Structure formats: C-alpha cells, structure tokens
C-alpha cells in the first residue's frame, strides 16, 4: 500500500503454479461458487474512479489497484 500526491496504490501478489492465468474465469472445479473475486473488485474500483491491472509473470500473479484520492471525497 502506497500513497503519493493524490494517488493511492494497492498491489497484491501471490505465487501460482501456472505462468498463464485467465482473470475472467476461475480455474477451480466448483465454478458455481468461485470466480467472482476479480470482477467484483474491478466493479468497485471503477465505481470510485480507479483502475485495476492484472498480470501473471514468472509464476507470480499481481493485481495493482490505483485510486485518485481527490475523486473519493
């Protein structure tokens, strides 16, 4: 978590066994009860004028969230 000028940054990283991750659907067998996380986060962040960037590289999944704090007030 970082804050710089009017920007708020949140970066989340997690290891994965795959170098390719589909951020649109879950890879879990129980698809009925999984796969809503990133879509929910994206909707909330965009509602508050932020953006989400997802990446997977070298076995690490990274989700970066950025908000313009001046638009949150």
């Amino acid at each position: 978590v970082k804050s710089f000028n009017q920007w708020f940054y949140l970066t989340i990283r997690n290891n994965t066994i795959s170098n390719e991750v589909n951020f649109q659907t879950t890879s879990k067998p129980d698809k009925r009860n999984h796969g809503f996380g990133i879509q929910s986060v994206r909707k909330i962040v965009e509602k508050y004028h932020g953006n989400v960037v997802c990446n997977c590289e070298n076995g690490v999944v990274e989700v970066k969230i950025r908000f313009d704090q001046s638009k949150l007030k």
Side-chain angles (χ1 to χ4, degrees):
V1 175
K2 284 195 254 183
S3 185
F4 182 73
N5 293 331
Q6 84 266 21
W7 295 100
F8 172 82
Y9 299 93
L10 174 65
T11 302
I12 302 160
R13 291 185 188 98
N14 197 12
N15 293 331
T16 181
I17 58 172
S18 174
N19 280 328
E20 292 183 23
V21 174
N22 181 346
F23 291 99
Q24 302 303 315
T25 61
T26 184
S27 60
K28 295 179 179 162
D30 182 8
K31 297 192 184 323
R32 185 169 189 219
N33 294 307
H34 294 281
F36 301 103
I38 287 293
Q39 291 90 340
S40 297
V41 168
R42 194 178 300 279
K43 282 182 184 179
I44 293 166
V45 170
E46 289 174 357
K47 176 180 177 181
Y48 293 100
H49 312 287
N51 67 1
V52 178
V53 176
C54 302
N55 189 33
C56 182
E57 192 173 304
N58 298 322
V60 178
V61 172
E62 183 175 74
V63 178
K64 293 182 179 182
I65 298 171
R66 181 178 78 161
F67 286 103
D68 182 344
Q69 295 180 92
S70 68
K71 293 184 179 181
L72 296 177
K73 298 177 183 178

